[in-house]
Amino acid sequence: MISIKGLYKQFGQLEVLKGINLEVKKGQVIVVIGPSGSGKTTMLRCLNVLETPTKGAISIEGQSLDFSKSVPKKSVASFRRLTGMVFQNYNLFPHKTALENVMEGPVIVKGEDKTTVRKKAQALLEKVGLGDKIDYYPAQLSGGQQQRVGIARALAMEPEVMLFDEPTSALDPELVGEVLKVMKDLALEGMTMIVVTHEMRFAREAADEVIFMDGGVIVERNKPEEIFTTPKEERTRKFLNMIQ
Amino acid sequence: MKMYLNSIFADPERTARLVDIAKTSLWPLLEGAIMNTIPLTIISFIIGLILAVLTALARISHVKFLQIIARIYVSAIRGTPLLVQLFIIFYGLPNIGVTIDPFISAVIGFSLSVGAYASEIIRAAILSIPKGQWEAGYSIGMSYTQALKRIILPQAARVSLPPLSNSFISLVKDTSLASVVLVTEMFRRAQEITAANYEFLLVYSEAALIYWVICFFLSVLQGFMERRLDRYV
Ligand SMILES: Nc1ncnc2c1ncn2[C@@H]1O[C@H](COP(=O)(O)OP(=O)(O)OP(=O)(O)O)[C@@H](O)[C@H]1O
Ligand SMILES: [Mg+2]
């Protein structure tokens, strides 16, 4: 359902993605690991078209963008709706309450009816365990709570795939669990997810497959138990030794 | 100084005359403020703000042509005295057959001025909003305009409220310049009154006091608005 073909991204002289090829099936949970600067964030941002790839093609659920040609703004906007992005530092809208953060997309972008959306948003916030915090502003919430609002905000657009960029790395250790729990529940519900994270327990427990990226390419892809116990590539082994 | 005070307190007749002048000039001064100073300030500020937002957007846009127009406008207004601008509009334009009513001339002059200065405030405020806010907007499918209107400008408004309040308070005082293009705002009223009685110190001080009261009231209002907008931080 997701297919990335020959994806390249260059920032000026710096080539960050050097030909990414990736197929992800519906309902799969893919964890992406790799050293700093290997291009993990850039790959996610290309999927969300926050960065325009230099060349290559992405297709999600039958919609595709070919970046070897110039892509019209309209198709970028509709393509973006297929993916929900969860940012490392949450990026909630500080001038809106938790509920308003979640309602913003469906009301403004999709033009849905406010009362219907309110109910849906309330249900989403309950689902991420924040039913009692709907009228709080982001500044009144802990990091873990803010990140859960971030997840609810992305889910409200009913994306085909959820993208997570190190969703717990800005959190105090005691708050990591509550966010991972929400993500595991999502995975169990069958949501397609691509998760950049260094939480190996999450990878073991929730991922169908783990991808190791280095130097702008995918070096290895395998089931979590295989990649963690018997990595095929030397680079993967070195990296895993370093972080464990 | 001593002589002036002596002349007041030693001479009951003069004291009575000054009290009388203070009383009788209060209403004409207030009338000048209510009929001209305040409307001139409010109208010019509103038009100026609209101009300022448009100019700020032009400056941050990726359209070179708009950027250049905006830059020239801001540079020209900031680089020339407001008094000279007012003279050009009111006394200069009739030379090419464009005659404009005093009040309208003043509105044009002050709006252009507010537009240029406030555009810099608003531009800085927009640029101060983290890039992640744009991206969060885009990531839920917003267009540039939607992200700007719903996400960026409301936050930029909070950031720019204190400096814009300062501009507004300055504008109240700057409108006294409109006296030179024959708008009978408060200061011109004061000049008219003193032309008849020569009590410059008394009448100008009275006008100053009224400016002060207006500005004091505005800074109270500013504090109130800032607290309201502070709810979320
Ligand atoms: N907007 C940009 N302009 C220029 N260079 C960039 C930009 N974004 C990323 N880079 C560079 O691209 C490279 C890959 O960055 P990226 O953020 O994708 O790495 P990452 O794998 O997510 O690393 P980390 O684990 O530190 O988050 C880095 O060298 C980074 O400096
Ligand atoms: Mg990263």
Side-chain angles (χ1 to χ4, degrees):
Chain A
M1 92 170 260
I2 303 175
S3 126
I4 305 176
K5 287 207 182 83
L7 197 70
Y8 284 81
K9 175 65 188 177
Q10 219 165 323
F11 292 110
Q13 289 299 308
L14 183 70
E15 194 162 56
V16 175
L17 297 182
K18 301 171 185 166
I20 299 277
N21 293 293
L22 181 66
E23 303 274 333
V24 179
K25 292 198 203 74
K26 203 176 177 80
Q28 271 192 321
V29 176
I30 308 288
V31 161
V32 182
I33 57 173
S36 182
S38 57
K40 305 179 298 290
T41 297
T42 308
M43 183 178 77
L44 284 194
R45 289 169 59 87
C46 284
L47 277 167
N48 200 224
V49 211
L50 286 174
E51 302 288 356
T52 310
T54 323
K55 60 183 180 186
I58 305 175
S59 94
I60 299 176
E61 279 292 295
Q63 275 200 53
S64 45
L65 289 182
D66 183 356
F67 295 99
S68 309
K69 309 172 210 144
S70 78
V71 289
K73 267 195 191 143
K74 261 234 158 68
S75 40
V76 169
S78 73
F79 193 82
R80 266 200 193 116
R81 291 208 216 156
L82 300 170
T83 57
M85 184 79 155
V86 176
F87 299 90
Q88 189 169 356
N89 48 2
Y90 338 127
N91 286 344
L92 293 184
F93 307 130
H95 59 304
K96 294 181 182 295
T97 62
L99 187 70
E100 289 167 344
N101 265 276
V102 179
M103 289 176 64
E104 189 68 11
V107 172
I108 300 304
V109 178
K110 286 188 174 168
E112 287 177 10
D113 171 59
K114 253 193 169 163
T115 20
T116 331
V117 173
R118 184 184 301 274
K119 285 205 193 91
K120 199 172 80 176
Q122 230 155 351
L124 276 171
L125 284 169
E126 264 156 39
K127 181 172 156 176
V128 299
L130 293 172
D132 56 338
K133 297 275 191 289
I134 59 172
D135 291 325
Y136 283 48
Y137 285 94
Q140 300 168 312
L141 298 173
S142 74
Q145 293 169 335
Q146 289 189 55
Q147 191 58 295
R148 286 184 279 152
V149 175
I151 294 172
R153 177 177 70 181
L155 286 174
M157 292 303 285
E158 295 169 339
E160 295 294 332
V161 51
M162 287 283 286
L163 310 173
F164 296 83
D165 187 12
E166 304 201 32
T168 57
S169 64
L171 296 177
D172 291 336
E174 74 273 18
L175 301 177
V176 169
E178 61 191 51
V179 173
L180 291 182
K181 162 134 199 333
V182 168
M183 290 168 61
K184 272 183 216 160
D185 290 347
L186 263 184
L188 287 176
E189 278 170 32
M191 173 59 82
T192 313
M193 296 163 56
I194 301 181
V195 185
V196 175
T197 185
H198 291 145
E199 293 292 334
M200 293 304 151
R201 270 201 45 205
F202 178 81
R204 279 178 208 279
E205 289 168 17
D208 295 302
E209 286 186 283
V210 175
I211 283 173
F212 173 66
M213 272 181 82
D214 193 15
V217 295
I218 294 176
V219 175
E220 187 168 349
R221 168 178 184 171
N222 215 330
K223 297 220 164 1
E225 56 271 27
E226 317 252 322
I227 207 165
F228 290 138
T229 50
T230 52
K232 287 198 206 72
E233 301 286 332
E234 180 57 28
R235 278 196 277 177
T236 316
R237 190 170 315 142
K238 270 197 179 147
F239 176 73
L240 288 171
N241 279 340
M242 241 169 51
I243 61 166
Q244 276 165 356
Chain B
M1 177 75 185
K2 206 168 167 207
M3 266 176 59
Y4 188 81
L5 290 176
N6 266 341
S7 78
I8 296 173
F9 294 111
D11 180 353
E13 233 173 83
R14 177 155 161 69
T15 312
R17 187 177 119 84
L18 284 177
V19 169
D20 188 50
I21 288 175
K23 272 192 204 155
T24 51
S25 41
L26 182 63
W27 175 242
L29 287 177
L30 282 178
E31 195 193 16
I34 293 164
M35 300 302 289
N36 284 303
T37 301
I38 293 171
L40 185 57
T41 307
I42 293 174
I43 296 171
S44 304
F45 197 72
I46 291 171
I47 299 175
L49 266 191
I50 296 169
L51 214 52
V53 172
L54 294 177
T55 307
L57 291 179
R59 286 283 313 265
I60 61 167
S61 81
H62 295 291
V63 186
K64 260 261 133 48
F65 173 72
L66 291 178
Q67 278 180 23
I68 291 171
I69 301 257
R71 272 174 173 241
I72 293 174
Y73 160 57
V74 172
S75 161
I77 297 294
R78 294 216 298 184
T80 53
L82 181 51
L83 192 58
V84 175
Q85 294 162 15
L86 288 171
F87 268 60
I88 290 175
I89 294 165
F90 187 69
Y91 297 107
L93 290 184
N95 285 355
I96 54 166
V98 183
T99 307
I100 309 173
D101 166 83
F103 188 83
I104 306 288
S105 300
V107 167
I108 295 172
F110 291 123
S111 301
L112 287 174
S113 169
V114 170
Y117 284 96
S119 78
E120 291 293 287
I121 294 172
I122 292 169
R123 186 173 77 102
I126 291 175
L127 294 179
S128 78
I129 306 303
K131 210 169 130 247
Q133 288 292 309
W134 286 99
E135 294 184 342
Y138 290 148
S139 79
I140 55 169
M142 285 185 169
S143 64
Y144 175 85
T145 323
Q146 286 172 331
L148 183 74
K149 272 210 319 229
R150 304 281 312 174
I151 309 302
I152 305 301
L153 286 182
Q155 294 182 61
R158 173 64 191 91
V159 176
S160 51
L161 183 64
L164 286 179
S165 304
N166 285 340
S167 307
F168 189 74
I169 290 171
S170 295
L171 183 61
V172 173
K173 297 172 288 174
D174 286 346
T175 55
S176 58
L177 287 174
S179 59
V180 299
V181 293
L182 313 183
V183 178
T184 42
E185 44 66 66
M186 182 162 50
F187 183 58
R188 190 169 178 84
R189 272 291 158 79
Q191 288 175 309
E192 287 168 1
I193 296 166
T194 54
N197 61 25
Y198 298 101
E199 291 295 348
F200 301 107
L201 183 62
L202 176 73
V203 178
Y204 288 150
S205 302
E206 202 173 344
L209 196 66
I210 298 173
Y211 279 116
W212 191 8
V213 169
I214 295 174
C215 291
F216 176 78
F217 171 73
L218 287 174
S219 48
V220 171
L221 192 70
Q222 173 186 357
F224 175 75
M225 280 169 56
E226 279 174 19
R227 273 192 302 281
R228 244 191 86 82
L229 284 173
D230 264 344
R231 273 175 316 169
Y232 64 81
V233 273

